[in-house]
Amino acid sequence: MLLIFTVPQAYSQKCKYDFDKTDPFTGESGKGITVKINNWFFFGFNKIGSNYDLGLLAALSYTENSMKGDSIILRVVNEQNPNGTLLTLYSVADVKPTLQAATKAQYYYSTGSATSTLYGSYRIKYEITKQQLELLSSGLVTDIRLYIGGKDFYVLDIKKKVSETLRQAVVCILR
């Protein structure tokens, strides 16, 4: 009898939302969860009323604008598709990056010099449907391909633990 009550609790994870509140003016409920993919990529899954979106925060050594319609492709692997299903999402607006300079001092035998690299910090919002979220919740994201202003960036071989955290966040947003 004890096993019947403890096993479901062990498999259900408590959802930790970044925000979970109701707008006092519209009465719409909203919630969101952020997942760290690596040191340069973060995903934010959001539900406002009955609408969903995926937010991306990315820091890249790139400074061009992201255009409305730029895409992100997620490879989702599950039992039905062990080779993966490609899920393509499109950005909803043009985005100008926030520019940051990183300075690194390089010392030589007799002189020191400093070099600077310019980085772009992007906050891009993508449309996503409940059906697309259900696909994400059915498997693990193994690879990501991001297009910004005609240039592509990759996050390959995502760690299994990160992918499982990503899947759990999607399950929580769908609740």
Side-chain angles (χ1 to χ4, degrees):
M1 184 83 153
L2 183 61
L3 186 62
I4 293 172
F5 293 111
T6 58
V7 171
Q9 290 176 348
Y11 285 104
S12 67
Q13 271 190 311
K14 187 171 178 133
C15 297
K16 294 182 182 178
Y17 299 103
D18 297 332
F19 70 94
D20 186 4
K21 57 186 172 184
T22 301
D23 185 314
F25 297 103
T26 65
E28 266 188 332
S29 63
K31 58 185 173 182
I33 296 178
T34 303
V35 177
K36 179 180 177 180
I37 304 301
N38 60 30
N39 289 337
W40 303 277
F41 288 88
F42 293 82
F43 279 172
F45 294 98
N46 304 293
K47 179 180 181 188
I48 307 296
S50 60
N51 297 315
Y52 299 92
D53 68 70
L54 167 66
L56 169 72
L57 174 60
L60 305 167
S61 59
Y62 187 67
T63 59
E64 297 299 317
N65 293 346
S66 172
M67 307 305 287
K68 179 179 180 179
D70 279 351
S71 63
I72 188 167
I73 302 171
L74 310 171
R75 184 170 169 251
V76 182
V77 174
N78 56 27
E79 290 180 11
Q80 294 82 13
N81 295 303
N83 292 329
T85 301
L86 299 180
L87 174 60
T88 304
L89 306 173
Y90 299 96
S91 63
V92 298
D94 294 348
V95 174
K96 291 182 180 182
T98 302
L99 302 180
Q100 302 166 351
T103 303
K104 179 180 177 184
Q106 295 179 341
Y107 294 98
Y108 297 99
Y109 291 110
S110 59
T111 63
S113 65
T115 60
S116 182
T117 304
L118 200 57
Y119 290 91
S121 179
Y122 294 86
R123 290 185 180 272
I124 304 173
K125 183 176 173 180
Y126 298 90
E127 294 179 334
I128 192 166
T129 65
K130 185 175 183 180
Q131 292 76 22
Q132 290 169 323
L133 285 167
E134 288 169 350
L135 171 64
L136 284 175
S137 72
S138 73
L140 299 177
V141 174
T142 59
D143 304 282
I144 301 169
R145 186 174 191 176
L146 170 67
Y147 292 93
I148 296 179
K151 184 168 169 96
D152 51 347
F153 301 91
Y154 298 92
V155 181
L156 303 175
D157 299 324
I158 296 172
K159 293 179 181 177
K160 187 174 182 180
K161 184 177 179 181
V162 170
S163 191
E164 289 170 348
T165 302
L166 188 72
R167 187 186 69 72
Q168 182 59 39
V170 173
V171 168
C172 289
I173 284 296
L174 287 170
R175 289 187 185 163

